[in-house]
Amino acid sequence: MNFFRTALAAAAIAAVSLTSGSAFADKLQDILNAGKVRIGVLADSAPWGFRDGEGKLTGFDVELANLVAADLGVDLEIVEVTGAARLPSLLSDQIDVLVAAAGATPERAQQVMFTSPYVAVQLGVYGKAGTPTYSKPAELSGKSIAVARGTTLDVWLTDNVPDANLVRFEDAASALAAFFAGQTEYFAENSAIALNASGSADVELKYLIRQSPAHAAVRHGEHNLLQWLNTDLFFNRLNGKLEALQVKWFKEATPLPNM
């Protein structure tokens, strides 16, 4: 009998410890207690996140980050991240939430948890107006394409057009600059960046890869924070604020897919 009592007591203590540990590790509660949320955004990818003529950080994701902080009722600390450093910044706890034009993939979902989509754009390969368009990936073989390293586009092109001449850069701005300088025939980007880039009046979509919703992300296990973000995104979709932001920054409102 003493053995069973001891075992039950040990189990009870373990349960309390697990409960206390989970509460302590609750990122949503940590944010509310601290009165501050750290949100990672891009600073080199107009119109998602960039610096305007006065050096002020602005863009769709920057405004969304401000909206999230306001709805949480806490101060916002913006943390600038690059495309390649988006997930590492989250995994190393440099940020609480990632709002940086991130596409959800099964591979990435092994590292972080994604919210429902908050906006949708088109992924594609772009080139100069008047040049040929393509309907099959194989038609891009041998073409020089500028792309930001480690992005969804980089991964897709590597897997589906292995014979393409991919010229990789550390960020979207460098990839675009290389294309407009004539260093590559094409560049791969999402429609929001491609059609808002300087000189984009002479740019056309040459190959449509797919629609690409953007998602916010949190670390694995932060279910309370994830649920709150999903609720907030749903709320702001219903009240029209997300659509207004999309029209402001992307000049159009693309219907969001269900998730």
Side-chain angles (χ1 to χ4, degrees):
M1 182 65 69
N2 289 337
F3 171 79
F4 289 110
R5 286 179 178 175
T6 302
L8 286 172
I13 292 171
V16 170
S17 298
L18 286 173
T19 302
S20 301
S22 298
F24 181 79
D26 184 355
K27 180 63 73 174
L28 176 59
Q29 193 59 54
D30 290 346
I31 290 169
L32 296 175
N33 290 343
K36 180 180 72 174
V37 59
R38 302 169 300 164
I39 299 182
V41 303
L42 297 170
D44 56 8
S45 298
W48 299 96
F50 65 103
R51 295 197 176 277
D52 62 17
E54 298 178 352
K56 179 182 177 182
L57 190 61
T58 188
F60 184 101
D61 283 343
V62 176
E63 289 203 29
L64 179 56
N66 277 277
L67 182 59
V68 167
D71 289 344
L72 278 167
V74 300
D75 294 332
L76 171 63
E77 179 184 335
I78 287 285
V79 179
E80 297 179 20
V81 299
T82 63
R86 287 178 296 184
L87 296 194
S89 296
L90 188 61
L91 295 173
S92 61
D93 199 32
Q94 297 177 48
I95 57 177
D96 304 314
V97 180
L98 179 70
V99 181
T105 66
E107 180 182 13
R108 287 177 174 176
Q110 295 178 29
Q111 303 178 67
V112 301
M113 297 193 299
F114 289 101
T115 66
S116 58
Y118 60 82
V119 71
V121 294
Q122 307 295 330
L123 291 184
V125 176
Y126 292 81
K128 292 182 179 179
T131 57
T133 58
Y134 306 103
S135 59
K136 299 178 181 179
E139 294 174 326
L140 295 170
S141 294
K143 305 294 191 297
S144 60
I145 305 172
V147 64
R149 187 187 312 276
T151 60
T152 300
L153 287 152
D154 183 10
V155 173
W156 190 92
L157 288 167
T158 299
D159 291 343
N160 292 277
V161 198
D163 296 329
N165 177 20
L166 298 184
V167 185
R168 295 179 174 87
F169 296 88
E170 290 307 312
D171 50 51
S174 299
L176 287 170
F179 167 77
F180 285 114
Q183 297 176 23
T184 63
E185 301 170 87
Y186 304 96
F187 69 94
E189 248 314 333
N190 66 65
S191 57
I193 292 177
L195 301 180
N196 283 275
S198 176
S200 61
D202 296 324
V203 165
E204 292 178 344
L205 178 66
K206 298 304 174 183
Y207 180 77
L208 174 62
I209 294 174
R210 61 175 172 83
Q211 187 185 63
S212 177
H215 306 253
V218 300
R219 296 176 69 182
H220 270 305
E222 299 299 345
H223 296 283
N224 289 342
L225 180 57
L226 183 72
Q227 181 61 32
W228 184 91
L229 287 167
N230 278 328
T231 301
D232 191 52
L233 292 173
F234 178 74
F235 179 76
N236 286 302
R237 189 173 301 127
L238 288 181
N239 65 26
K241 290 184 179 179
L242 280 180
E243 181 176 346
L245 281 180
Q246 188 173 7
V247 172
K248 175 181 177 179
W249 291 105
F250 301 156
K251 302 180 178 65
E252 61 181 5
T254 303
L256 290 171
N258 294 321
M259 181 179 175

